Amino acid sequence: LGIHYLGQMHENGMLRIVLDQLTNGQLDWIELDAQFDTVIVGSRQYHLYSGKQRFAETMKKQFPQEHEAIDKFMKLMKTAAKGASLLAVLKMIPLWLSKLLIRTGLIYWISPVFRLAATSHSELLNDLTSNKDLQTVLTYLFYVSIGVPPKDSSFVVNALLLHHYKRGAWYPRGGASEIAFHIIPVIQKAGGAVLVRARVKCILINEDGKASGVTVVKDQEEEKVFAPVVISNAGIFNTYTRLLPQKMQTKPTIQSQLSMVQHGMGSFLVFVGIKGTKEELGLKSTNYWVYKHNDLDELMTSYASLRKEEVADNIPMFFITFPSAKDPTFNERHPGNSCMTILTMAWYEWAEEQVKKRGTDYDDFKMNIANKLIDMAMEIFPQIRDKIEFVEAATPLTNQFYLSAPQGEMCGIEQNLSCFFPEVVATIRAETPVKNLYLSGQDIFSCGLAGALHGGLICTCAVLKRIVYIDLICLKKKKKKKLKWTSKKKEA
Ligand SMILES: Cc1cc2nc3c(=O)[nH]c(=O)nc-3n(C[C@H](O)[C@H](O)[C@H](O)COP(=O)(O)OP(=O)(O)OC[C@H]3O[C@@H](n4cnc5c(N)ncnc54)[C@H](O)[C@@H]3O)c2cc1C
């Protein structure tokens, strides 16, 4: 259900190379329309176009008075993108060295990215422009991944999100499940095994206090699996507060890491089945980001202060996407049908209250929000209204059940401003205070598939004690040479 679109999948891009390696080149990525996102602010629409130059040029056309601000933003975005690897380096070098660089202030001499990372997105945008619509367009991806208002989030993570899609947006052919489908054989070929419906109950700790394996529950049976290294991708909260034995959880170093992070935002999704093909319904692969108005800080703050029963009538932002319009295999698999997903933010507490008395009340609450979201989406796509055949809604409880997200988070820990302070960047890393236990995935770097993948790479470097990024850079160079050679041959 996840992965609505991914950026940086252009040929020979680093992310593409990594995913091709992981899937043995078997996963195909379909590029969305050049106009991949539309941002609707009140009654005004803005369009995002892919392309290194076109991205900024088309933005300038839509904001003719704001050329200077856009140029400055693009420059800062480039600084953030270039410097992002240094954030990873801070996690990979020995912790004492990271701390020394931070304490002496040397990191600020090394790159401006560290100061940008610790700057609030709103603060920086307010310095660039007073145009609130432009500020919205330079922030529009924030809530699904970061989950806090722009004033409480880092400029760098917002800029990286925009940069991620600058070259365009892609969708996995056949849908998101194809990602796992094509990675599994690669794992198996390397001698690994993939278990499903096999919950890890706890991490085993030996007499020396080192991680030595896991207890897995499979078909009601518990089995101990011993291993020299345990890598947890279950998130920092699950790993430290649910999987480690109690006596390990209370370690000051573990508690100190936990005090640096917070649970991220939950999501509310509506899945809609529609009669008719994309051609019949006039659907495109473009995604829509809808905002009630252009003050995103205010919008998030007032949304957060709503009482549960006020939510349905006051949804201030949502995202609409048509997975069926992005996937060329969809019509073969579901002839004559289409699907739409609507997404907004949701707080775990709305659902938590209901945990013990879920029933018609809860269903009404849930479907009331779902129907409101559909009504709002129908204002943009009125041609769909009579064609809806199926509706299902998902709440933070869905994420809790299917993703084991402790508080229904959509993207792991909250990517707030303090997460990008150098001390936190350096401390939350693959190595844990428990010997032989490593963390991987989105919580140790950043959210989204790309962020999680870098989390994986950082973890690989730590476990193998090898900078695999160097291997990847060499591979990229080799491929570039080959591409040049092939295109020359074609020309000849
Ligand atoms: C609806 C939705 C849409 C999204 N859309 C996009 C998008 O368009 N583009 C994008 O880049 N990102 C998107 N994301 C975000 C992206 O999916 C995540 O950032 C990414 O999957 C994080 O990867 P991860 O491996 O770190 O964690 P996860 O993918 O959450 O994997 C963690 C795994 O650990 C498992 N686990 C937890 N506890 C245990 C246990 N005790 N035993 C065994 N297993 C356990 C969980 O079941 C889960 O499978 C979306 C997320 C959602 C929810």
Side-chain angles (χ1 to χ4, degrees):
L1 302 176
I3 305 306
H4 300 120
Y5 56 141
L6 201 64
Q8 294 172 310
M9 292 303 289
H10 51 280
E11 202 166 354
N12 220 31
M14 186 55 102
L15 195 62
R16 179 65 180 260
I17 288 179
V18 180
L19 277 163
D20 281 353
Q21 290 292 305
L22 291 177
T23 57
N24 202 16
Q26 295 302 302
L27 178 60
D28 202 4
W29 292 88
I30 309 297
E31 191 165 2
L32 269 59
D33 289 347
Q35 197 254 297
F36 61 93
D37 272 344
T38 292
V39 183
I40 302 180
V41 188
S43 56
R44 303 172 295 285
Q45 289 203 4
Y46 301 98
H47 306 290
L48 278 293
Y49 286 85
S50 62
K52 241 176 160 178
Q53 312 297 335
R54 188 166 50 177
F55 186 78
E57 281 165 13
T58 49
M59 212 179 265
K60 283 182 188 170
K61 274 193 190 144
Q62 296 171 83
F63 294 98
Q65 314 293 327
E66 297 291 332
H67 285 204
E68 201 187 329
I70 294 170
D71 281 338
K72 277 188 185 160
F73 183 87
M74 293 299 154
K75 232 175 165 177
L76 288 167
M77 184 165 93
K78 208 169 170 185
T79 309
K82 270 189 169 170
S85 54
L86 291 172
L87 298 178
V89 169
L90 209 57
K91 291 175 180 293
M92 294 196 295
I93 57 176
L95 187 57
W96 64 264
L97 182 56
S98 297
K99 285 190 170 165
L100 183 75
L101 291 173
I102 296 165
R103 249 200 317 268
T104 54
L106 271 172
I107 50 159
Y108 300 111
W109 289 92
I110 294 170
S111 166
V113 77
F114 296 107
R115 238 179 257 290
L116 282 179
T119 306
S120 131
H121 190 58
S122 293
E123 192 189 318
L124 201 139
L125 286 189
N126 284 333
D127 282 348
L128 285 186
T129 176
S130 56
N131 186 320
K132 284 281 180 195
D133 273 15
L134 178 59
Q135 288 191 4
T136 304
V137 171
L138 297 177
T139 314
Y140 76 99
L141 294 155
F142 82 105
Y143 66 88
V144 295
S145 35
I146 301 168
V148 282
K151 68 180 168 61
D152 300 326
S153 67
S154 160
F155 169 77
V156 163
V157 70
N158 283 281
L160 286 180
L161 279 171
L162 274 186
H163 180 264
H164 181 62
Y165 292 110
K166 195 174 112 179
R167 298 281 287 265
W170 283 261
Y171 188 77
R173 178 191 280 270
S177 59
E178 291 292 297
I179 303 174
F181 182 77
H182 290 295
I183 292 178
I184 290 169
V186 177
I187 295 173
Q188 289 169 333
K189 205 172 162 204
V194 177
L195 308 184
V196 291
R197 292 174 192 267
R199 187 172 59 85
V200 171
K201 190 180 165 199
C202 62
I203 294 167
L204 300 168
I205 305 290
N206 66 18
E207 297 130 18
D208 304 329
K210 296 177 184 171
S212 59
V214 289
T215 300
V216 180
V217 185
K218 180 82 185 144
D219 302 329
Q220 323 275 334
E221 301 265 316
E222 286 187 13
E223 190 154 337
K224 285 187 169 64
V225 180
F226 292 97
V229 166
V230 176
I231 297 172
S232 173
N233 185 49
I236 193 164
F237 282 109
N238 275 335
T239 308
Y240 286 171
T241 66
R242 290 183 172 176
L243 300 180
L244 277 183
Q246 192 71 37
K247 66 173 192 298
M248 283 283 169
Q249 291 180 22
T250 51
K251 266 186 156 201
T253 38
I254 297 271
Q255 287 303 316
S256 150
Q257 286 197 22
L258 285 171
S259 70
M260 290 179 173
V261 291
Q262 284 178 34
H263 292 277
M265 182 87 150
S267 52
F268 191 101
L269 288 115
V270 192
F271 304 105
V272 184
I274 313 159
K275 193 86 213 143
T277 62
K278 68 171 183 179
E279 291 81 12
E280 286 162 356
L281 299 168
L283 303 176
K284 289 190 176 151
S285 62
T286 310
N287 307 295
Y288 287 74
W289 295 80
V290 186
Y291 290 96
K292 201 169 158 186
H293 59 72
N294 61 14
D295 186 344
L296 301 188
D297 282 326
E298 196 283 320
L299 193 133
M300 274 292 271
T301 313
S302 50
Y303 192 37
S305 67
L306 290 177
R307 278 180 295 126
K308 222 183 78 197
E309 51 280 14
E310 296 170 329
V311 175
D313 291 327
N314 294 286
I315 300 166
M317 60 201 161
F318 55 100
F319 165 78
I320 309 171
T321 188
F322 295 95
S324 52
K326 299 176 196 172
D327 180 9
T329 72
F330 192 87
N331 205 35
E332 282 163 35
R333 294 184 290 124
H334 308 281
N337 293 304
S338 291
C339 64
M340 168 174 77
T341 304
I342 314 173
L343 188 157
T344 192
M345 291 292 92
W347 275 265
Y348 178 61
E349 291 71 24
W350 296 348
E352 196 192 21
E353 279 174 38
Q354 303 279 348
V355 163
K356 289 196 183 76
K357 46 175 180 162
R358 260 184 277 162
T360 43
D361 276 4
Y362 182 68
D363 278 346
D364 289 349
F365 164 69
K366 192 167 101 164
M367 290 320 291
N368 203 6
I369 297 179
N371 288 329
K372 276 283 152 64
L373 281 165
I374 292 175
D375 280 349
M376 291 193 285
M378 291 309 98
E379 285 173 24
I380 307 166
F381 301 100
Q383 73 273 30
I384 294 172
R385 188 176 285 281
D386 303 331
K387 310 280 188 320
I388 293 178
E389 298 205 320
F390 171 87
V391 174
E392 176 67 280
T395 70
L397 291 180
T398 316
N399 291 348
Q400 194 177 44
F401 183 79
Y402 289 102
L403 304 178
S404 291
Q407 295 197 3
E409 300 89 330
M410 186 176 164
C411 286
I413 58 168
E414 191 177 86
Q415 302 283 319
N416 58 30
L417 186 57
S418 65
C419 265
F420 289 83
F421 288 169
E423 299 76 13
V424 181
V425 172
T427 309
I428 306 297
R429 51 172 55 214
E431 291 98 339
T432 69
V434 182
K435 193 120 185 23
N436 297 344
L437 172 66
Y438 294 83
L439 296 174
S440 177
Q442 60 192 351
D443 282 4
I444 65 155
F445 189 67
S446 182
C447 50
L449 194 145
L453 210 58
H454 282 292
L457 288 168
I458 290 168
C459 180
T460 310
C461 296
V463 174
L464 297 180
K465 311 226 178 312
R466 177 193 176 115
I467 315 286
V468 290
Y469 281 102
I470 296 177
D471 301 69
L472 287 166
I473 291 166
C474 292
L475 185 61
K476 187 175 151 95
K477 279 196 175 150
K478 214 164 127 187
K479 282 185 175 265
K480 199 174 170 184
K481 240 183 182 172
K482 203 172 162 191
L483 270 174
K484 258 192 187 163
W485 187 77
T486 331
S487 60
K488 263 192 190 159
K489 214 174 144 194
K490 263 189 198 160
E491 273 171 30

